[in-house]
Amino acid sequence: EIVLTQSPGTLSLSPGERATLSCRASQSVSSSYLAWYQQKPGQAPRLLIYGASSRATGIPDRFSGSGSGTDFTLTISRLEPEDFAVYYCQQYGTCHFFGQGTRLEIK
Amino acid sequence: QVQLVQSGAEVKKPGASVKVSCKASGYTFTGYYMHWVRQAPGQGLEWMGWINPNSGGTNYAQKFQGWVTMTRDTSISTAYMELSRLRSDDTAVYYCARGLRAWWYFDLWGRGTLVTVSS
């Protein structure tokens, strides 16, 4: 079982700032089978990034993903008001595991 | 329009079963795996398993084996998730989500079905 640990648990930033979210796996994630999702209150998760660094259809280019092996990062270059939400990473290589989430809140 | 439409909220008593449906439209139902993910109130996401709508084959997370049943009806492009022997801690929003393969990301999600287990 792969455990995904996201940090920080909560990130407080202001619109216009840069956000850096981390996802660390307990074992190497095969072929960078790592995705990021955004979830707003009362809504289903939305796919942002797959394959560690590929943006899903319709996702603005201020969202970017990077990393390999056990360490992955989601970066939001300049925060917009609509970006404040909870973000989850997911490993989907040999099974499906989610991280516990990072809450991005307005400072 | 490509979408997954889930059935409405349910209230069940402990020990009962619940069956949630997920109707696909706008794409070839048998071309994608259907996954089920649940989220307890204020908690994170928990993957439950998948069904291959083409073959009917299933794979359940170890935690849910013997307890969850996923089925499908290809004639109406609908997947089902049945959870038995409900307990209060099964209270959650249950989502269906599609993935191109068994081990793939989820590019389309249903809006979720709230299942409340209460005596």
Side-chain angles (χ1 to χ4, degrees):
Chain A
E1 175 178 325
I2 295 180
V3 176
L4 299 178
T5 302
Q6 293 187 237
S7 61
T10 301
L11 185 57
S12 299
L13 294 170
S14 301
E17 291 193 292
R18 180 185 185 91
T20 302
L21 287 68
S22 173
C23 176
R24 177 162 290 178
S26 59
Q27 306 171 38
S28 182
V29 175
S30 60
S31 303
S32 295
Y33 281 178
L34 188 109
W36 290 92
Y37 299 86
Q38 176 194 68
Q39 187 178 34
K40 297 180 180 179
Q43 296 185 18
R46 176 176 73 143
L47 176 68
L48 298 175
I49 301 288
Y50 63 91
S53 60
S54 297
R55 268 189 305 276
T57 302
I59 301 303
D61 60 7
R62 64 179 181 274
F63 290 91
S64 63
S66 63
S68 64
T70 60
D71 290 295
F72 298 87
T73 301
L74 174 69
T75 302
I76 310 171
S77 59
R78 286 180 56 85
L79 285 166
E80 298 287 342
E82 63 267 28
D83 298 337
F84 292 91
V86 179
Y87 292 82
Y88 294 96
C89 59
Q90 176 206 23
Q91 187 280 139
Y92 55 89
T94 55
C95 196
H96 291 277
F97 296 108
F98 290 93
Q100 83 279 17
T102 289
R103 179 177 304 277
L104 178 56
E105 64 177 27
I106 299 177
K107 187 174 183 179
Chain B
Q1 183 180 2
V2 180
Q3 61 181 350
L4 300 173
V5 178
Q6 297 188 225
S7 49
E10 303 261 14
V11 179
K12 296 291 183 180
K13 293 192 182 301
S17 297
V18 67
K19 190 171 186 177
V20 179
S21 68
C22 172
K23 182 174 177 59
S25 61
Y27 72 94
T28 302
F29 177 63
T30 52
Y32 290 80
Y33 285 70
M34 194 68 76
H35 298 257
W36 290 88
V37 176
R38 77 176 185 178
Q39 185 171 39
Q43 302 301 308
L45 302 169
E46 182 175 32
W47 178 75
M48 300 177 70
W50 55 250
I51 182 168
N52 179 343
N54 191 40
S55 67
T58 56
N59 184 291
Y60 304 139
Q62 188 171 9
K63 171 179 178 177
F64 295 98
Q65 289 177 6
W67 183 29
V68 68
T69 304
M70 296 178 188
T71 57
R72 93 293 190 214
D73 184 339
T74 57
S75 69
I76 55 171
S77 300
T78 299
Y80 302 92
M81 185 284 299
E82 184 170 20
L83 196 61
S84 61
R85 305 189 302 277
L86 290 168
R87 307 185 320 182
S88 58
D89 58 2
D90 293 318
T91 295
V93 175
Y94 290 78
Y95 294 101
C96 58
R98 79 170 190 183
L100 185 61
R101 303 172 188 164
W103 312 117
W104 208 243
Y105 52 86
F106 307 150
D107 66 342
L108 180 68
W109 293 66
R111 299 181 73 169
T113 297
L114 175 62
V115 175
T116 302
V117 183
S118 174
S119 55

